[in-house]
Amino acid sequence: NAGVMQNPRHLVRRRGQEARLRCSPMKGHSHVYWYRQLPEEGLKFMVYLQKENIIDESGMPKERFSAEFPKEGPSILRIQQVVRGDSAAYFCASSPSGGEDNEQFFGPGTRLTVL
Amino acid sequence: GESVGLHLPTLSVQEGDNSIINCAYSNSASDYFIWYKQESGKGPQFIIDIRSNMDKRQGQRVTVLLNKTVKHLSLQIAATQPGDSAVYFCAENRDGGSNYKLTFGKGTLLTVNP
């Protein structure tokens, strides 16, 4: 059973470009979470999604960032008009459901570098 | 500022010794805590969790202790091995009841010397 898959693993963008990060949850998992990690920092919650629904986006910046989890296909975290401060590792996690006692399984992350 | 963890500290131990990694939190409403291990270039890996109605929980070679009075969490690793070398994060659920929304500390770098 494959774990959480993220691609690309490394992404380089110039300021002003768009970044698209993909996350395929573990088989059977319908809940996805995105986190951002700055160097030597802990992970910071961004957004929690179920299929076709955003449940909690309280950690998402108000502008330029969006996330979706369509009925078919991976979850996408989209960053428009990237700036240098967006450089970070972005981790996706998935769980079978969103209630209590549901361990979040993390993917390997996408390391975004903005030049 | 951060309510969980401090500036990234480091801990260096000899193989076979026991390791203790500490974490402080400030939100009394937090009722669920998790320890994660993150190896270089990888995502966090669940180690052990504990709820606020418990003081201690044991797993395989790991023990988590929770002191709610002083808002302190610790992870004890017995007979530390080179494969335990990683950054260890404590995470808390600040919102109480929504265990999905975890707040991570900055981590502790554990180095195990052979």
Side-chain angles (χ1 to χ4, degrees):
Chain A
N1 187 12
V4 177
M5 309 287 284
Q6 289 187 250
N7 69 82
R9 293 293 308 277
H10 299 275
L11 182 61
V12 179
R13 285 287 178 267
R14 295 190 180 279
R15 281 179 296 171
Q17 292 184 319
E18 178 181 287
R20 283 190 179 227
L21 288 63
R22 296 174 185 78
C23 169
S24 297
M26 287 180 67
K27 187 177 181 180
H29 288 192
S30 59
H31 297 249
V32 166
Y33 318 81
W34 285 94
Y35 292 83
R36 177 166 60 177
Q37 183 179 33
L38 296 172
E40 295 200 350
E41 297 272 338
L43 281 70
K44 294 192 185 300
F45 171 83
M46 299 180 74
V47 62
Y48 163 36
L49 310 105
Q50 296 177 27
K51 288 282 189 181
E52 300 183 282
N53 281 306
I54 297 174
I55 306 303
D56 183 346
E57 56 181 347
S58 58
M60 289 276 274
K62 295 288 185 257
E63 298 179 349
R64 303 188 297 109
F65 284 71
S66 62
E68 62 176 5
F69 189 15
K71 186 177 181 180
E72 301 290 339
S75 175
I76 306 288
L77 178 67
R78 181 184 180 201
I79 311 173
Q80 295 178 291
Q81 299 176 320
V82 296
V83 301
R84 289 212 173 116
D86 296 332
S87 295
Y90 292 83
F91 290 95
C92 167
S94 73
S95 67
S97 66
E100 295 187 11
D101 299 320
N102 272 291
E103 178 185 339
Q104 295 181 23
F105 294 82
F106 283 83
T110 293
R111 279 149 185 84
L112 172 66
T113 301
V114 180
L115 301 177
Chain B
E2 293 289 335
S3 81
V4 177
L6 301 171
H7 296 290
L8 183 65
T10 59
L11 176 64
S12 183
V13 301
Q14 290 297 124
E15 181 178 359
D17 288 351
N18 296 332
S19 302
I20 300 176
I21 300 171
N22 297 303
C23 181
Y25 66 97
S26 62
N27 190 342
S28 299
S30 296
D31 61 0
Y32 180 59
F33 304 87
I34 310 175
W35 280 100
Y36 284 93
K37 172 186 179 182
Q38 186 177 27
E39 296 174 277
S40 181
K42 297 184 178 180
Q45 178 184 0
F46 174 94
I47 300 174
I48 192 168
D49 60 0
I50 189 168
R51 298 197 176 279
S52 59
N53 60 354
M54 302 173 69
D55 297 322
K56 179 180 179 180
R57 192 169 187 212
Q58 289 185 291
Q60 187 176 14
R61 281 203 306 120
V62 295
T63 301
V64 55
L65 298 176
L66 176 62
N67 185 331
K68 295 179 286 295
T69 302
V70 296
K71 299 188 186 67
H72 184 267
L73 194 68
S74 69
L75 176 71
Q76 300 177 2
I77 305 174
T80 315
Q81 303 168 0
D84 295 327
S85 295
V87 177
Y88 289 80
F89 293 96
C90 61
E92 65 174 317
N93 154 33
R94 283 188 187 173
D95 288 347
S98 60
N99 286 344
Y100 66 81
K101 197 169 182 178
L102 300 175
T103 299
F104 284 74
K106 291 186 178 180
T108 295
L109 174 61
L110 174 65
T111 301
V112 181
N113 302 309

